[in-house]
Amino acid sequence: MIRPAIRALFLALLLLAAGPALAVQPDEVLDDAALEARARTLSAEVRCLVCQNQSIDDSNAELARDLRLLVRERLIAGDSDQEVLDFLVARYGPFVLLEPPKTESTLILWYGPAALLGLGAIVVIVTLARRRKAATPTPLTPEERMRLDALLDEEDDTGRPA
């Protein structure tokens, strides 16, 4: 038997997961299943300009709906997937794509995080190596050893200096 609290949590998670599925309205769905599949794929690649962290496929914003309809209109007109994306980029700029194109101006977006991670790893390795080197004690010189022995000989049996 499932406890009521677990059942409520499971139901809440199901409702949250179903949210994006509700974004595409029934009146937007195309009759042609192949075109609709292409439209959903393209909609997942296009950023909602209102929400900015969601695709237009997941967003309930009015502008996202307009963009979904625009994508479907272009597909019905016979545009290829790339032509639809090119049209949206020409109209709204490259920001409209969830995955920005790899150009000279976006190289830092693509490779900057990996470079920073690698640089951070190098700093950590160098720091740990320096600590390890500093932590290893150096042996006493013969003069230091003789002086230590002399100091230890001066102590009495209680361990205190004489």
Side-chain angles (χ1 to χ4, degrees), residues 59-90:
S59 175
N60 286 324
E62 193 61 35
L63 180 59
R65 175 182 165 77
D66 293 343
L67 288 173
R68 286 192 303 265
L69 291 172
L70 180 63
V71 165
R72 283 165 172 76
E73 288 172 11
R74 302 295 297 191
L75 290 175
I76 290 171
D79 286 0
S80 69
D81 293 356
Q82 191 59 49
E83 288 173 333
V84 172
L85 292 176
D86 290 343
F87 174 80
L88 291 172
V89 168

Side-chain angles (χ1 to χ4, degrees), residues 23-24 28 38-40 42-52 54-75 84-85 87-93 95-98:
V24 176
E28 297 175 27
R38 285 177 56 203
R40 294 300 291 261
L42 286 171
S43 294
E45 296 176 20
V46 177
R47 180 186 315 272
C48 174
L49 300 173
V50 175
C51 308
Q52 295 188 3
Q54 284 184 319
S55 69
I56 61 171
D57 199 42
D58 297 335
S59 175
N60 286 324
E62 193 61 35
L63 180 59
R65 175 182 165 77
D66 293 343
L67 288 173
R68 286 192 303 265
L69 291 172
L70 180 63
V71 165
R72 283 165 172 76
E73 288 172 11
R74 302 295 297 191
L75 290 175
V84 172
L85 292 176
F87 174 80
L88 291 172
V89 168
R91 193 167 190 184
Y92 298 102
F95 182 74
V96 77
L97 300 176
L98 276 173

Side-chain angles (χ1 to χ4, degrees), residues 99-113:
E99 186 176 310
K102 292 179 181 160
T103 63
E104 287 182 17
S105 62
T106 60
L107 285 179
I108 194 161
L109 291 174
W110 284 103
Y111 302 112

Side-chain angles (χ1 to χ4, degrees), residues 7 32 64 89 96 131 149:
R7 182 180 296 163
D32 185 354
V89 168
V96 77
R131 281 187 185 175
D149 289 341

